Every structure is written in structure tokens, then in C-alpha cells.
Amino acid sequence: MVDRGASALSLPDDWPAHPDPILALNRMGSFDWDLDTGQFRMDARAHEIFDLRPDEYDGDPVSLGVRVPPGEGIRLDEAVAQAIKDGSENYGAYFRLRRRDGTLRWTHTQGYIRRDDTGRPRRIVGIIRDATDELGDLAARDDEPALDDARRAQTNEQTNVVQLTTAALAHARTVQDVIDVLKDTHGLTHLGATSLVMGLVEAGRIRLIAEGPEGSFVPGTLVTRIDEPYPMSEVVRTLTPRFIESPEEFAGGYPMLWSYLTDLEITSAAYLPLIVQARPIGAMGLLYSDRRGFTPEERNILVALGSSIAQSLQRAMFYEQEKDIAQGLQQAMLPRTIPSVPGADVAVRYRAATIGGSLGRDIGGDWYDLIPLPGGRVGAVIGDVQGHDTHAAAVMGQLRIVLRAYAAEGHPPATVMARASVFLHELDTDRFATCLYAEADLSTGVVQMVRAGHIDPLLRAPDGTCRRVSVAGGLPLGLSAEFGSLDYPVATVELDPGHTLLLCTDGLVEQPGADLDDGMRALAAMIAAGPADVRKLADLLIDVAEERGGDDDVALLLLRRRSPDAPQAGNRLQQHVAPGDPEALTMARHMILAAVRAWGSRDRSDEIELVADELITNALMHTEGAAIVTLRALTGGDRRLRVEVEDSSSALPRRREAGVSGVSGRGLLLVDLLADAWGVEARGGGKCVWCEFVVRETRRREGS
């Protein structure tokens, strides 16, 4: 059998909401049964079928007993009661009624159960039609039809197959799942059918999604109009099953179709409309090669199977629509593009969850983000919001934006995490989230990380060895604010050139039957054996996650620091200056003067030395800790010399008026006047004040 994928469908706008014209054209009556009052109202055609004049019927279904034999009435009551009990949306049955002249006529009814918001059945609306011609000589049988033992055993077997198939359909989530259930060797083939043909109504046409056996495709039938002369089109138009009981009947009724089926030795067929809430969503055909004719019991079985399949298809189409919406929402919440980062190679991947055995949507709250920061730094985020639904995706999107905003404001990593936790706690949600935030200075390789209930990152060396980086963490976002524990320890790691940092969610690590530590070791071994290129490594990891499946989504981010020959790299010197240590201060001044001259920037040496001295003095005077002085020569574009002074205070420097005789207050004024650019950046629990000077090469001129 050749199958074609099916997407979520919708009925055409011009399809009638109430199929009265269709009923009239096909000589069908309708009824409306109010289960609260017990009133059973029928239209004029239904009165004709029951052979009752309006003045002979008072709206009480018990009154129909004059036309429905007791045995048939019991069967009908049982069918309706079972449909109500098991939560079905509809039911169908063949039964006989006795007209006023005493003759028995076959009748078919199909009802649609309307329930309220609590699931309680309130109304049944349906159709009824005369089926005597359809069933032929079977109409003359007695009130209790007798089947021979072989026929009865076959009917019982088919009933069991329908029950098993219905149970399997309850677990089908997509349209393709429904098709797979019906193709299963324990499914419709046990009903004796040679093959299955199925189509769904889409924009006033029928689109095939299962074509029957290979080689049986009829050209021009992949998409057909509902008014074309095909059996599936007919059952959709009439809302009535079509049972074809012989090759002669098939050839006479559908000659164009039959010409393509002669080699398949088809002897009979059953075409069923797939109806939900009185509206057709598709049609199904069962083709047989070893039987002729259908008994009323077999027809009832197939009609019941069609009702079950229709309900499953509707659930599948709703699921696929919700899945498309949910995945679209999640993709909108994730970064559309990842910015290029000078000095690093970056790869990100996301894999949606595969939740087996439930109607949950394949969506989660995992996310990644990469945030460019001033001074050649970059922030990397990985996180996981609790839950697998659209609410988790919505919370994830808000958290991602908030984390990006706090990081871009210059807050240190611990503050970024604490503020995000407060935000989530104040949000109108009961969800929490785990998160890991890493802020990397790609010029120095220093990475500062904070962890909120998330799994540790991994670090791969250029030689392929991979290890787990232990990061002391705090509570998940949302919970830390709720319990008043907003402290997030900052861990520091050196990311040397060629090293790769991997951040991921637990969906990449956790496996059934294995603990987290075993999963981390297995992941580290996989990374160690994987390719050095971050994109190829990311593809490998996500492919493994895809093959493994699982009920959790996966997000991962890889950041590899490039080799020192990258364009932005340059010389770097650093000096630690403790408070109250004049010797260290003198050494820092000598380091700056020597470096400026050695790097060919003598013409600006006085300005650089004055500004650097001012920044160091401010750090020692206005903070309680030490100062770290860093001097860098930056290349690429203009040649620049950068001075950084880092301290442990988060208080930002501000300009003050010095006054006529004041001895302080002129520091930032000098920095602003002498430096070509300057600014302040958050660094861990403190800050870094930096300035840059554009310099020109003077070494060669001085040596001439």
C-alpha cells in the first residue's frame, strides 16, 4: 500500500453546516432527540420512513414501538447506551421496522451525540433512511435472523478485530498514525479486506492519503471533486455507506474506476463516509477479493468501525493543528538567528520532544541564546522551563527576553540570574525554570558562569579530552525568589584557544534506567570521540538524541574559542595591585610605560599613563579591594591600545564638580578628554572601567 502524508485539514467554508439539502436529495430523514426532556422530534421524511402520520406520533420515542419490533428496539437501545457510555461522538446501526401493512423493511440510522462542557450527553441529532434495496433479499428474514455457525464465528471474529482496532486508534496522535493502525497486520486485514483506500475532505475536494495496494493507483484520483463519479465522492455527498457486492455491480456503477482494478480481482467493496458532528471529513474504502455481499451484522460492524475511525481522524487533525501552532510559537520564541561572534565558532541546535502514548503536544520550554556584549565579551544561555505545552513555550520566550535585557544592561552574571528569578516568580505562572548563564571574555578566555538548578556544562580540549565543569549552583529560577535564596555563586574557568564549551538541557543527557552522572559520562565520551568542528559535533549530538527519542526536548549550544591568530587578538599584560601596596602600584606604572613604548605608541605615552594612573587610583581609593590592571594591544581596523582597571565594587563611577580648590573630581573628566573611547562593564560581582587610545606605529620612525 502506498501512503501519502496528511496534514491538518479543515472543511471548506461553503460546505453546509446543516446537511438538509443533502438529506432531501438522498431521501433521508432527520431527528433531534432531547435527552433532558425525552422528546424525539422527526422531520416529514422520517415520519414517512416510520410509516407514521404526524397525528399518530406524540414525540415520545416509546411510541415508535408500534413500528420497531422488540428485538430490534433492544439492539438499538444497547447501541445508543454503549455509545453514550464509552464517550463516542456518534453511532450507526441497521435495524428493521414493520410498516402498517405488516411488511418488514430494513432501515439505517446514524446519530451524533452532543455533549455539554462537562461531557454530559444532552442531545442526539441524526439521520434515518430506508435500506431495503441496499440489503436486497436479506429484508425478508425473520425478526431473529439465524446465521450458520461459520458465518456467526466470522462475525464474532470481525467484531473482536473492530474492538482491538478501536482500542489501538485511541493512541493514534497523527493522521499517519491512524493509517498505520489500519494497515497493521492485526487490523483491517483480519476483516478480510485486501486493501484500504482513504481520503480526507479538503477545500471541497477529496485528497487521497492511502491509495490501496501498490500499482493500483488510478490516474487523476489523487485529488478529486466531491461531485465526480467515484464511490468515495458518492458517500461524502450522500453521507451514506456504499456496499458493492459483486464485480458486476462495481463495473456497472463505476466503470472508469473498475477498469483500473480488474487485475486486482476485487469481488466486493465497502465505502464508508467518515462523519463527525453531521459533517463529512473524509471517506474510506475496503476492497475484498474473496467474498460477495454483506450481512446486516457485517454492515453494522463496518459502520461502527467507520465512526471510530472518523473520531480518531478528527482528534488527529486537531492534534496536528495544535502542534503546528505550538511549534510555530516555540520557533518564534527562540532566536531567529545567532549573531557571529569575533573570536569564536558557535553552533546551536534544538530538537522537539516525541511524547509517545499521549495526546501531549511535541513542544517544550527548552531554549538557548547568545548575547553579544561590549568589550569582546559574549553571554551564552541555556535553559529549560517546566512542562511541555504552549504555556511552557510562552514562559520560555519571556524569560529569554528578560535574561537578554539584564545581561545587555551590564549586570554581572549572578545579578542577571537573580533578577530573572524574581521576574519569573512575579509572573502569573506556577512554572519554574532551570538555567545556566556563561559570560565569556574572548580576548582573555575568562568565562564566568552561574547555574540555577541546571546541569553542569562540559569542556572539550583541543586534544579531544572532555570533562564536566563543576559549577556551584543555586535554586531554579522562580523557586529561589519564592524561598528568598537569590545567591548564585560565580564559577570561573579559562577557555583557552581551541577549547569548546558545551551547554545543553537534560534531554540530551537523561536516559531511561540511567542516572544523571552516567548520562554525563556517556555524553562526555561522545563529545571526546566526535568531530572538532562545532557544527558537525552539534549535528552528531542532535542526531543521537533524535535516534534515542524520548519525552523531553533538547537544546544545546557550543562555543569554541578560536586560535590566537584571529584578527582581534593582540598582546596582553596584567598586573594585580593590592590596596596599601605602593610597590605594586609603582610596578603597574612601569609596566604601562614600558609596554606603551615597546608597542610603538610613544607619541601618546603620557596621555595613556596619566589616564591609567587615574583609573587605578580611583579603584584603590573608592573600593575596598584590589585592582586588576590589564593592558592590551588590539589589531584589526585601527590599531588601538586598551587599558582596563577591574575592581570588586559594583558601584558605577560618576562625574563630580571639583570646585575651584578641589583636589578630586577631575578623574573622569581627564579620561573623557584624553581617551578616544571609554566605558564601564560589569564583571562578576564588580566592574571594569576601560578606555581605548587609537595609536599609530612609531617604532620604525624612531629607529631611523
Side-chain angles (χ1 to χ4, degrees):
M1 181 180 294
V2 181
D3 296 330
R4 296 187 181 271
S7 61
L9 304 176
S10 60
L11 289 169
D13 294 336
D14 59 349
W15 192 260
H18 302 286
D20 300 334
I22 295 178
L23 298 180
L25 288 172
N26 292 280
R27 298 185 61 78
M28 286 187 268
S30 65
F31 63 85
D32 187 342
W33 188 1
D34 189 326
L35 299 180
D36 290 333
T37 65
Q39 285 292 301
F40 190 93
R41 293 181 290 272
M42 301 188 297
D43 64 6
R45 176 57 185 161
H47 279 87
E48 293 178 14
I49 294 172
F50 275 99
D51 197 10
L52 288 171
R53 293 189 300 271
D55 60 343
E56 294 177 323
Y57 178 62
D58 59 3
D60 187 347
V62 176
S63 303
L64 299 176
V66 299
R67 293 288 179 260
V68 181
E72 300 295 302
I74 291 173
R75 286 199 305 109
L76 276 175
D77 289 343
E78 290 176 348
V80 174
Q82 184 62 39
I84 291 176
K85 180 180 178 181
D86 62 20
S88 299
E89 293 182 355
N90 50 42
Y91 63 88
Y94 286 89
F95 67 98
R96 284 171 297 181
L97 58 81
R98 191 180 301 276
R99 297 178 64 84
R100 67 178 68 243
D101 61 5
T103 59
L104 289 172
R105 296 191 67 83
W106 281 103
T107 309
H108 178 260
T109 183
Q110 192 154 359
Y112 307 91
I113 303 170
R114 302 290 177 85
R115 303 174 187 269
D116 59 20
D117 294 339
T118 66
R120 178 186 172 189
R122 308 304 294 266
R123 295 173 60 203
I124 299 178
V125 296
I127 57 176
I128 188 167
R129 62 185 176 83
D130 188 293
T132 302
D133 294 339
E134 179 185 332
L135 297 183
D137 62 348
L138 294 174
R141 294 195 176 183
D142 296 333
D143 287 350
E144 297 294 333
L147 298 174
D148 57 44
D149 292 340
R151 195 72 162 179
R152 190 182 302 278
Q154 182 182 14
T155 302
N156 291 337
E157 179 183 357
Q158 292 174 341
T159 302
N160 291 334
V161 171
V162 170
Q163 292 173 346
L164 292 173
T165 303
T166 301
L169 287 171
H171 300 284
R173 290 190 301 142
T174 66
V175 172
Q176 187 59 51
D177 289 344
V178 173
I179 297 172
D180 292 341
V181 168
L182 299 179
K183 286 172 50 184
D184 189 90
T185 55
H186 299 288
L188 292 183
T189 54
H190 282 197
L191 286 170
T194 300
S195 64
L196 164 75
V197 182
M198 183 180 291
L200 294 179
V201 174
E202 184 177 32
R205 290 174 169 79
I206 299 174
R207 181 167 63 88
L208 284 185
I209 58 173
E211 298 174 355
E214 187 172 357
S216 66
F217 175 65
V218 179
T221 61
L222 179 60
V223 179
T224 58
R225 297 191 313 273
I226 292 176
D227 59 356
E228 291 192 69
Y230 295 112
M232 284 207 300
S233 299
E234 179 182 325
V235 300
V236 168
R237 287 196 309 271
T238 64
L239 306 181
T240 305
R242 178 71 166 95
F243 293 98
I244 304 173
E245 301 194 323
S246 68
E248 294 77 16
E249 183 180 354
F250 209 140
Y254 310 98
M256 185 168 61
L257 181 62
W258 177 251
S259 63
Y260 291 94
L261 303 180
T262 53
D263 294 340
L264 300 179
E265 300 181 352
I266 300 300
T267 60
S268 61
Y271 286 89
L272 307 171
L274 303 176
I275 304 172
V276 177
Q277 296 181 349
R279 302 181 70 180
I281 64 170
M284 178 183 73
L286 299 175
L287 307 181
Y288 299 86
S289 59
D290 59 354
R291 66 178 298 166
R292 288 172 178 256
F294 301 88
T295 68
E297 289 77 11
E298 291 168 339
R299 294 178 183 231
N300 279 336
I301 289 172
L302 293 176
V303 169
L305 179 63
S307 297
S308 178
I309 292 171
Q311 294 175 41
S312 298
L313 279 173
Q314 185 190 45
R315 288 197 304 268
M317 290 188 289
F318 282 161
Y319 166 77
E320 291 183 350
Q321 289 172 345
E322 290 181 346
K323 179 181 175 181
D324 289 343
I325 293 172
Q327 289 186 337
L329 172 63
Q330 185 165 43
Q331 290 300 320
M333 295 301 182
L334 288 172
R336 295 187 62 182
T337 59
I338 291 297
S340 60
V341 179
D345 297 318
V346 180
V348 294
R349 297 291 185 273
Y350 175 81
R351 171 198 169 272
T354 302
I355 309 174
S358 74
L359 290 178
R361 286 158 288 188
D362 294 345
I363 185 172
D366 290 16
W367 87 95
Y368 56 77
D369 204 359
L370 196 70
I371 310 167
L373 299 172
R377 294 177 298 118
V378 64
V381 184
I382 202 81
D384 182 359
V385 175
Q386 174 196 17
H388 294 91
D389 51 25
T390 52
H391 185 57
V395 172
M396 172 268 287
Q398 295 177 82
L399 262 183
R400 186 182 76 83
I401 295 171
V402 162
L403 279 161
R404 171 176 281 267
Y406 289 149
E409 286 178 353
H411 298 291
T415 303
V416 170
M417 200 69 84
R419 292 195 173 192
S421 182
V422 172
F423 169 83
L424 182 56
H425 178 60
E426 294 176 350
L427 202 62
D428 185 19
T429 180
D430 58 355
R431 306 297 177 91
F432 64 84
T434 65
C435 183
L436 191 147
Y437 175 57
E439 188 174 292
D441 186 336
L442 296 173
S443 60
T444 64
V446 175
V447 182
Q448 295 179 319
M449 292 181 286
V450 289
R451 185 172 67 89
H454 204 79
I455 59 175
D456 288 324
L458 295 171
L459 187 64
R460 170 176 164 153
D463 62 2
T465 57
C466 184
R467 66 181 178 89
R468 177 179 180 177
V469 180
S470 181
V471 178
L475 292 174
L477 302 181
L479 295 182
S480 61
E482 181 176 352
F483 293 106
S485 179
L486 290 171
D487 293 332
Y488 288 101
V490 179
T492 302
V493 64
E494 292 284 342
L495 189 66
D496 293 328
H499 280 66
T500 300
L501 182 68
L502 179 137
L503 314 180
C504 67
T505 55
D506 54 8
L508 188 62
V509 177
E510 293 179 342
Q511 301 182 43
D515 62 25
L516 182 62
D517 291 336
D518 291 339
M520 291 293 286
R521 283 190 287 269
L523 178 59
M526 192 188 314
I527 294 171
D533 182 83
V534 292
R535 296 170 183 81
K536 294 180 179 179
L537 180 57
D539 289 337
L540 170 67
L541 297 177
I542 213 70
D543 288 345
V544 170
E546 190 69 39
E547 293 173 4
R548 191 168 61 207
D551 58 358
D552 201 1
D553 46 346
V554 175
L556 64 91
L557 185 152
L558 292 94
L559 177 70
R560 179 180 180 272
R561 189 183 175 204
R562 291 181 189 151
S563 300
D565 58 352
Q568 79 279 3
N571 298 312
R572 180 171 71 95
L573 295 174
Q574 194 170 76
Q575 176 71 42
H576 185 276
V577 181
D581 186 354
E583 184 177 351
L585 180 58
T586 301
M587 290 179 61
R589 289 169 174 164
H590 289 166
M591 176 194 74
I592 294 170
L593 183 60
V596 168
R597 293 177 177 177
W599 293 345
S601 306
R602 183 183 294 272
D603 58 342
R604 301 201 65 178
S605 61
D606 292 339
E607 300 171 12
I608 297 171
E609 183 180 2
L610 179 59
V611 169
D613 189 65
E614 183 63 35
L615 294 181
I616 296 170
T617 302
N618 282 344
L620 295 177
M621 287 183 60
H622 301 295
T623 66
E624 297 180 355
I628 300 175
V629 184
T630 304
L631 197 66
R632 293 189 179 90
L634 306 179
T635 58
D638 292 334
R639 177 178 171 82
R640 291 165 296 140
L641 193 145
R642 180 183 175 99
V643 178
E644 299 177 356
V645 178
E646 186 175 351
D647 59 55
S648 59
S649 172
S650 61
L652 300 179
R654 57 188 179 85
R655 297 185 184 183
R656 294 180 298 160
E657 294 297 330
V660 177
S661 59
V663 295
S664 64
R666 297 185 174 88
L668 290 182
L669 180 61
L670 286 174
V671 172
D672 189 52
L673 288 173
L674 299 178
D676 294 298
W678 73 279
V680 183
E681 300 172 2
R683 294 284 179 89
K687 65 178 180 297
C688 172
V689 183
W690 59 269
C691 56
E692 292 182 358
F693 299 85
V694 177
V695 296
R696 54 188 178 85
E697 183 69 51
T698 59
R699 182 178 302 167
R700 182 171 301 174
R701 178 178 56 80
E702 291 169 354
S704 58

